């Protein structure tokens, strides 16, 4: 499986889409039934969608093949997690299941979803900055260990590292596609957009500065994942991140412990040069919760 997109509900989807396209660097991918879709330069039909409504996260979507989907369905059948079969009417289509995790996060797993031609050449170079795809979506958790154990047991994901702040989880050979922050509450923590390279992250920071936005955290380089980052609080609410790709890890990668990821006093990343707006980020992280819009149904073929 691989992470594809996040689907959100917002009071002003047009305003959010305008910011993400005109300033953050995504491209309009289309509009369908009032929902606005935005894509990156990669092969995914969209990375984020904004549906009109109250503030909440509808789902986070992963895609894979029929065998991967069947394996996930087989593991969740006996666990009494709320779930349903779905046929996606979002861009790219596909079919699969929506699942509610123990703390309410809604994950969608699709097979048969279509990809699109990447944006290359002049169309790519003419943009000041453009994300490629999503590299991870992180959740806040009341109990990150329980969440990490649950997705390992039921979804077949793997815990890559544990730190004092997070449990990092992978669904393929990328170090993490998601993580569970030890926040004491359940919500969306942040959405990380993968940039082409470090230079692209820095160009993104420059573009945001041109429009009056300063990082809430960064630039810096994380420990787990080894990615360069810059976090912002989007004007429509959520925390969003420019990031390089997280590192690839082997099948026998040894899960790190919190004591493996410590920094000298007053340092919060590998470089030790970034500042962090702890209060501002915390307020934004509490804002977006998940909502199930369907009744749980047994999975049956």
């Amino acid at each position: 499986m691989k992470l594809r997109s996040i689907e959100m509900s917002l009071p002003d989807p047009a305003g959010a889409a305008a910011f993400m396209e005109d300033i953050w660097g995504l491209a309009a991918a289309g509009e369908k039934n009032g929902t606005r879709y935005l894509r990156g330069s990669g092969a995914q039909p969209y990375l984020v969608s904004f549906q009109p409504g109250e503030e909440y996260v509808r789902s986070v979507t992963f895609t894979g093949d029929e065998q991967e989907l069947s394996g996930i369905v087989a593991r969740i059948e006996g666990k009494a997690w709320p779930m349903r079969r779905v046929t996606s009417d979002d861009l790219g289509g596909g079919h699969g299941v929506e699942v509610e995790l123990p703390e309410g996060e809604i994950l969608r797993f699709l097979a048969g979803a279509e990809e699109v031609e990447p944006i290359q050449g002049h169309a790519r170079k003419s943009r000041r900055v453009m994300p490629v795809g999503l590299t991870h979506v992180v959740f806040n958790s009341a109990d990150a260990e329980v969440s990490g154990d649950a997705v390992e047991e039921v979804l077949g994901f793997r815990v890559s590292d544990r730190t004092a702040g997070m449990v990092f989880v992978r669904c393929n050979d990328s170090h993490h596609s998601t993580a569970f922050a030890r926040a004491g509450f359940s919500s969306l923590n942040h959405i990380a957009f993968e940039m082409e390279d470090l230079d692209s992250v820095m160009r993104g920071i420059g573009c945001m500065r041109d429009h009056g936005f300063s990082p809430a955290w960064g630039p810096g380089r994380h420990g787990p994942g080894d990615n360069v980052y810059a976090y912002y609080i989007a004007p429509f609410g959520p925390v969003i991140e420019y990031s390089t790709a997280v590192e690839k890890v082997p099948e026998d990668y040894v899960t790190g412990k919190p004591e493996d990821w410590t920094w000298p006093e007053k340092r919060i990343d590998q470089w030790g040069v970034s500042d962090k707006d702890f209060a501002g980020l915390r307020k934004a992280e509490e804002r977006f919760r998940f909502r199930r819009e369907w009744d749980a149904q047994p999975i049956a073929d």
Side-chain angles (χ1 to χ4, degrees):
M1 282 284 171
K2 59 184 176 183
L3 174 65
R4 186 192 74 180
S5 56
I6 182 169
E7 293 76 36
M8 307 183 73
S9 173
L10 296 167
D12 182 15
F19 169 81
M20 295 302 285
E21 183 179 355
D22 298 339
I23 299 176
W24 191 250
L26 297 181
E31 183 176 350
K32 187 177 181 181
N33 300 325
T35 298
R36 294 172 182 264
Y37 298 89
L38 296 114
R39 62 168 295 182
S41 64
Q44 298 301 340
Y46 72 96
L47 307 182
V48 295
S49 72
F50 300 132
Q51 168 186 292
E54 299 177 19
E55 286 185 351
Y56 63 96
V57 181
R58 295 172 52 221
S59 57
V60 174
T61 299
F62 295 77
T63 60
D65 59 31
E66 296 287 353
Q67 182 176 357
E68 290 170 319
L69 177 61
S70 295
I72 286 175
V73 171
R75 286 190 293 269
I76 64 179
E77 278 183 317
K79 296 299 181 178
W81 284 8
M83 63 188 82
R84 69 166 179 172
R85 285 203 182 275
V86 295
T87 298
S88 174
D89 60 359
D90 289 314
L91 300 185
H95 64 275
V97 293
E98 287 182 341
V99 182
E100 182 180 344
L101 301 192
E103 293 195 17
E105 307 95 327
I106 307 296
L107 302 189
R108 180 170 61 164
F109 297 95
L110 298 177
E114 297 178 354
E115 296 189 346
V116 295
E117 284 294 322
I119 297 175
Q120 299 176 336
H122 177 72
R124 175 73 176 83
K125 294 178 180 178
S126 65
R127 303 183 69 91
R128 290 171 296 178
V129 60
M130 191 175 195
V132 177
L134 293 187
T135 180
H136 52 272
V137 174
V138 173
F139 311 119
N140 289 313
S141 293
D143 192 326
E145 290 296 337
V146 169
S147 293
D149 289 344
V151 298
E152 274 200 318
E153 178 184 358
V154 181
L155 301 181
F157 288 13
R158 300 277 298 278
V159 172
S160 297
D161 277 294
R162 293 179 171 90
T163 69
M166 290 191 180
V167 176
F168 293 85
V169 180
R170 67 186 187 271
C171 62
N172 49 44
D173 63 350
S174 292
H175 179 273
H176 60 280
S177 60
T178 187
F180 298 96
R182 306 180 195 276
F185 57 88
S186 304
S187 67
L188 175 67
N189 183 281
H190 72 271
I191 308 163
F193 293 84
E194 182 178 322
M195 306 300 284
E196 191 172 7
D197 50 26
L198 188 154
D199 184 68
S200 297
V201 171
M202 300 307 292
R203 288 178 182 274
I205 294 171
C207 184
M208 289 290 282
R209 186 180 299 276
D210 290 343
H211 289 87
F213 294 93
S214 297
W217 184 17
R221 184 183 286 276
H222 284 310
D226 199 37
N227 53 308
V228 175
Y229 63 85
Y231 292 77
Y232 293 85
I233 301 170
F236 57 96
V239 179
I240 53 178
E241 175 192 1
Y242 284 134
S243 173
T244 54
V246 298
E247 68 177 333
K248 301 291 187 180
V249 297
E251 185 69 22
D252 59 354
Y253 183 81
V254 177
T255 302
K257 304 178 180 63
E259 55 267 30
D260 298 325
W261 300 105
T262 58
W263 313 115
E265 186 178 0
K266 297 183 180 180
R267 178 174 289 202
I268 52 178
D269 73 312
Q270 291 192 53
W271 291 346
V273 298
S274 67
D275 294 320
K276 184 175 183 180
D277 178 6
F278 287 94
L281 287 167
R282 180 78 170 193
K283 183 178 180 180
E285 291 167 5
E286 292 179 349
R287 187 166 170 175
F288 281 85
R289 308 294 171 129
F290 285 74
R291 180 184 300 177
R292 174 155 54 96
E293 300 177 296
W294 40 271
D295 294 327
Q297 301 170 359
I299 299 296
D301 291 320

